[in-house]
Amino acid sequence: MSTVLLAVVLAVPLLAAGATWWTPEGEAARTTVRAGGLLAAAGWLVVTLLGEVGGSVLAADGLVGPTGVGASLLLVAVTRPEERWAAVGGSLVVGVGLVGLTVGTADATPVPAVVGLGAAAAVAAAATRREGDGGLPLATAALVGAAAALLGVARLGMVVDAFVVPVSGMPVEAGVPVVVGAAAVAVAAASRPRRALGPLLPLALAVGLPAAATLEGSGEAVAVGAGALAAAAVWGVRPARRRARPLVPVALALWALAAATVPGDTTGAALLLASAAVVTTVGLRPATAVTALPGAALLVASLTLEPSGTAVALGLLGVLGVAGLVAAVAADVPPGVRGPRAASVPALGLGVWLLAVPTTWGWVGAAHLEWWVPGVVVATAGAVVGLGVAASAGWVTLPDEPALDAPDPAVGLPDDRWAWRAAVGGAVALGICGAALVASTLRLT
């Protein structure tokens, strides 16, 4: 029965893609996709709460269910363009990527998940081409990243289980390409939060985080590099500019990978940070990055237990990133959007759940945050009293309705000729690395 449930949940976005052909062009197509995404998100939430689901062909445990929830909610949040092909592409991205992840979990090998990520990246690139609003450079980056991950698992030779962390760890020559490739896909997806590339974010993290947790040798260097890129993502663009908003989820995704790569018990922190990255990508307000506090607290606690040069470097980069995030929140002036769109409500609800009681997120493992809930209660009560006193004294003006959602970020860049050629080049690279994967498989049989 559990396998049937998993098959039904996997089929929902694929069926939504098919049903889109029976709807009129325009907003109706998006509505069909959103309905399928919400239904799939509900199904994946049930899978998450059940724990281990599936059998020998399809299986879901650990981060698979939450990945399905995140990818489905990002599909629901896609808003433009109102064009049938792009809508179908978004649904196929979610369906193909999650099929690969569940098959890989059943086989206890990262290969199907990486293949699924590559196929999803290719579909997303095709949908981006149909969107025609300047996303092809990032789609190309996602294709090249997926190709790098494929090359890594081809070199791995299908002998390491990246979903149940092996005792021996993943060799550097295989693990680093997988982690770096997944990071490239995640950055590209988080930079296009309401387009077809967006649902790739949790899929890329689901591939990159387990691989990062098993790295041997170069893990600390990869962690510091990811932390430095995360700080650059926050400070690299002035917070007052429109394009600064998508860089906050980029930074959180990179911090999740950095946390997973650090030696020690940091898996829970990495998964909590990854969850915050997905929630922030849906909401787009820099202030929604507050959902990263539980993961950040757990990471700090883990690093202080095993102090090292890497821990100090990550601490300094973290302070720099937090300062940039505060500046981004302070400069974020709501441009007229008030209450959240219907598509954002489920993600905001999950964000509140994550921020208030992260200890109930059992799928992340042992999150030693027993002191978190009392702290949240005290901090919330203090904030409410403080704001009430400040508003009564006239020191601050409370908005009539808080701006919880952000508008769809305007891209407005044409698909110039070089970008399309680069996308073709990325697809060729993906095909070459896929052939290398097939060749490595044949050598083992």
Side-chain angles (χ1 to χ4, degrees):
M1 181 61 69
S2 60
T3 304
V4 173
L5 170 64
L6 197 55
V8 170
V9 176
L10 285 169
V12 168
L14 302 176
L15 292 175
T20 303
W21 290 108
W22 298 95
T23 58
E25 186 82 15
E27 185 60 26
R30 286 291 177 198
T31 301
T32 302
V33 171
R34 290 182 188 127
L38 287 173
L39 184 60
W44 284 112
L45 183 60
V46 171
V47 171
T48 303
L49 296 176
L50 289 176
E52 296 184 7
V53 176
S56 58
V57 178
L58 301 172
D61 59 6
L63 55 73
V64 177
T67 299
V69 174
S72 300
L73 291 180
L74 284 168
L75 173 64
V76 172
V78 172
T79 56
R80 287 172 55 192
E82 296 172 4
E83 198 269 350
R84 181 178 286 115
W85 269 104
V88 170
S91 291
L92 292 178
V93 167
V94 174
V96 171
L98 289 171
V99 167
L101 194 60
T102 52
V103 172
T105 304
D107 290 345
T109 167
V111 175
V114 177
V115 172
L117 178 63
V123 173
T128 301
R129 172 64 178 170
R130 299 291 299 193
E131 288 172 348
D133 58 357
L136 280 177
L138 286 171
T140 302
L143 281 172
V144 173
L150 274 172
L151 185 60
V153 294
R155 299 180 71 179
L156 183 63
M158 299 179 64
V159 295
V160 175
D161 175 6
F163 294 96
V164 178
V165 178
V167 176
S168 59
M170 182 176 284
V172 172
E173 61 271 14
V176 170
V178 173
V179 175
V180 173
V185 178
V187 168
S191 300
R192 299 273 297 176
R194 292 182 178 169
R195 301 294 191 275
L197 282 179
L200 287 175
L201 174 61
L203 298 171
L205 292 176
V207 169
L209 292 179
T214 63
L215 279 183
E216 293 177 343
S218 299
E220 295 184 355
V222 173
V224 173
L229 290 175
V234 177
W235 282 105
V237 179
R238 290 184 180 181
R241 288 182 60 181
R242 256 202 226 174
R243 284 185 151 201
R245 204 170 275 128
L247 298 183
V248 175
V250 168
L252 292 180
L254 289 170
W255 269 112
L257 289 167
T261 310
V262 175
D265 185 15
T266 57
T267 302
L271 294 175
L272 290 176
L273 288 170
S275 302
V278 173
V279 171
T280 306
T281 305
V282 176
L284 282 187
R285 286 267 174 239
T288 55
V290 70
T291 54
L293 281 177
L298 192 57
L299 178 60
V300 170
S302 301
L303 291 178
T304 53
L305 290 176
E306 299 182 15
S308 63
T310 301
V312 173
L314 288 176
L316 294 175
L317 291 170
V319 170
L320 183 62
V322 169
L325 179 60
V326 171
V329 173
D332 181 52
V333 179
V337 176
R338 288 299 178 186
R341 297 173 304 115
S344 299
V345 171
L348 290 174
L350 289 176
V352 172
W353 182 9
L354 169 62
L355 182 62
V357 280
T359 51
T360 62
W361 286 43
W363 63 273
V364 304
H368 302 292
L369 293 170
E370 292 79 8
W371 40 269
W372 184 264
V373 174
V376 168
V377 172
V378 172
T380 302
V384 170
V385 172
L387 283 175
V389 172
S392 300
W395 298 335
V396 298
T397 301
L398 298 179
D400 295 332
E401 183 181 353
L404 298 177
D405 196 12
D408 194 333
V411 179
L413 297 176
D415 283 335
D416 42 35
R417 195 169 298 171
W418 76 265
W420 174 235
R421 292 174 178 173
V424 173
V428 172
L430 188 67
I432 292 173
C433 292
L437 173 62
V438 173
S440 69
T441 305
L442 294 176
R443 285 196 299 269
L444 293 174
T445 57

